[in-house]
Amino acid sequence: MKKYIILIAALLTAFLAEAQNVDSLYLDYQQASRGEARDKALNLITIFQSKDYLDTPLALNENVEDDYLNMVIDFCMATEYYIGGRAQESLDLAKQAYEKVPHDSLVWQFEFLSLMGMDYQLMGQCDLAVDCCEQEMKLHEQLGRDDFLSITLNALAVLNSRLKLYDEALGYADRAVAIERKLGREDRLAVRLGVRADVLKVLKRYDEAVEDIDEAVALDEEAGRYRKMALRKLIKANILMEQGRYEEMLPPITESVKQFEALGDHYYYATALCNL
């Protein structure tokens, strides 16, 4: 137990150090002179790209305008705050930066609305998050991009579940799954199936929920996403346990215990052990 505490403390220290480092670089960038700011901006963008914060392609060259670069960095920094659980800081910065988004840049409008919606979710303000999603849906009518639409539909499925509007949630989840099947994006399909399974579980449509989870597990295994796979097996075991199907739940819960142990994921290893 002692070595696990030390390991967790070390990981937390490393995470906080990285977060403080990005905070420091962002502050330096804000305080830098115009000439220095551009180099610092490009350094920050490189860090944020390595974290996969940018869905929208960004061409880094001398033609990139400073105002545009500032907007992108503020978006990434707001994302950094969100990832770190600092939802209010993320929301405040995102709102401020959203004012800089060009009126004809529909993709960036979507990116900011999506981030603000996630901030509201993290703060438990689901109604305001739904408002963001509804604004996103208007953008989708103009963008005509199913990949973005799938993200919004998935968010609406989650939000409506939290608001206990399960039939509405299932409708959104069904549409998101259908889009990902059409696009052939297996990683996103696995996520959408997981969300739909959560809704089906609440509606007590257990067999359908398990079917979705089994498909998601197969997709995760093929792609080598072993932690995701273990989490889904844990969820499947919980569904079977809720039905009183204890013998059937034994294989998935046993497999999830072994996988979490192999991955060194102590929290979910302990959780799975308790279920076992």
Side-chain angles (χ1 to χ4, degrees):
M1 177 62 72
K2 184 177 180 181
K3 69 177 182 180
Y4 292 153
I5 293 174
I6 293 172
L7 175 60
I8 292 170
L11 291 172
L12 180 59
T13 300
F15 173 79
L16 291 174
E18 181 184 8
Q20 290 170 353
N21 181 50
V22 174
D23 280 352
S24 177
L25 291 172
Y26 181 62
L27 182 61
D28 287 346
Y29 158 72
Q30 289 182 307
Q31 296 176 342
S33 64
R34 186 177 181 86
E36 294 177 336
R38 196 168 184 85
D39 289 338
K40 293 180 183 294
L42 297 178
N43 182 34
L44 276 168
I45 289 292
T46 300
I47 293 172
F48 292 136
Q49 285 179 323
S50 72
K51 292 171 177 279
D52 291 327
Y53 287 173
L54 289 168
D55 290 327
T56 303
L58 178 65
L60 296 178
N61 55 51
E62 65 277 3
N63 297 321
V64 177
E65 295 181 1
D66 289 342
D67 287 345
Y68 182 80
L69 203 55
N70 292 341
M71 179 200 72
V72 173
I73 289 174
D74 284 347
F75 169 80
C76 291
M77 197 65 206
T79 303
E80 176 82 9
Y81 290 152
Y82 169 78
I83 296 295
R86 299 155 65 181
Q88 188 62 62
E89 291 175 81
S90 175
L91 181 63
D92 291 343
L93 181 56
K95 282 183 174 180
Q96 174 186 322
Y98 185 56
E99 300 300 321
K100 306 173 188 175
V101 178
H103 293 297
D104 61 347
S105 184
L106 302 183
V107 171
W108 273 110
Q109 289 178 43
F110 163 77
E111 293 283 12
F112 274 97
L113 285 168
S114 180
L115 176 57
M116 290 188 284
M118 292 190 294
D119 287 326
Y120 283 126
Q121 280 191 64
L122 202 59
M123 294 188 290
Q125 299 179 34
C126 292
D127 290 341
L128 293 175
V130 168
D131 287 343
C132 288
C133 287
E134 289 176 348
Q135 293 180 63
E136 290 172 37
M137 295 294 282
K138 293 177 182 178
L139 292 175
H140 294 317
E141 293 177 3
Q142 301 175 68
L143 284 168
R145 290 186 58 175
D146 282 348
D147 51 346
F148 283 90
L149 176 59
S150 175
I151 296 171
T152 303
L153 290 170
N154 191 65
L156 283 167
V158 172
L159 289 167
N160 278 274
S161 292
R162 293 183 180 178
L163 293 169
K164 301 187 186 305
L165 302 172
Y166 299 113
D167 288 334
E168 289 87 340
L170 184 59
Y172 288 123
D174 285 342
R175 289 177 62 189
V177 167
I179 286 174
E180 295 304 341
R181 289 196 191 284
K182 182 179 73 172
L183 295 177
R185 300 193 304 181
E186 295 185 347
D187 55 336
R188 299 294 179 93
L189 175 59
V191 173
R192 307 299 184 254
L193 287 167
V195 170
R196 188 169 69 178
D198 289 339
V199 180
L200 289 167
K201 177 187 174 184
V202 176
L203 293 172
K204 300 190 184 301
R205 292 165 59 173
Y206 297 118
D207 290 343
E208 293 171 80
V210 168
E211 184 178 333
D212 277 358
I213 291 173
D214 283 343
E215 183 179 356
V217 166
L219 291 170
D220 287 331
E221 184 172 20
E222 184 177 348
R225 296 186 293 267
Y226 299 113
R227 184 176 182 276
K228 292 276 190 183
M229 183 172 62
L231 283 169
R232 299 191 203 286
K233 287 181 179 179
L234 180 58
I235 293 169
K236 177 180 178 178
N238 288 335
I239 292 174
L240 294 171
M241 182 169 62
E242 192 170 313
Q243 294 177 274
R245 297 161 64 180
Y246 301 115
E247 291 186 6
E248 293 176 66
M249 72 166 282
L250 189 59
I253 195 66
T254 302
E255 290 166 12
S256 69
V257 166
K258 292 178 180 178
Q259 285 169 345
F260 285 130
E261 183 179 24
L263 292 167
D265 193 324
H266 306 304
Y267 175 81
Y268 280 107
Y269 174 61
T271 302
L273 276 176
C274 289
N275 282 317
L276 183 60

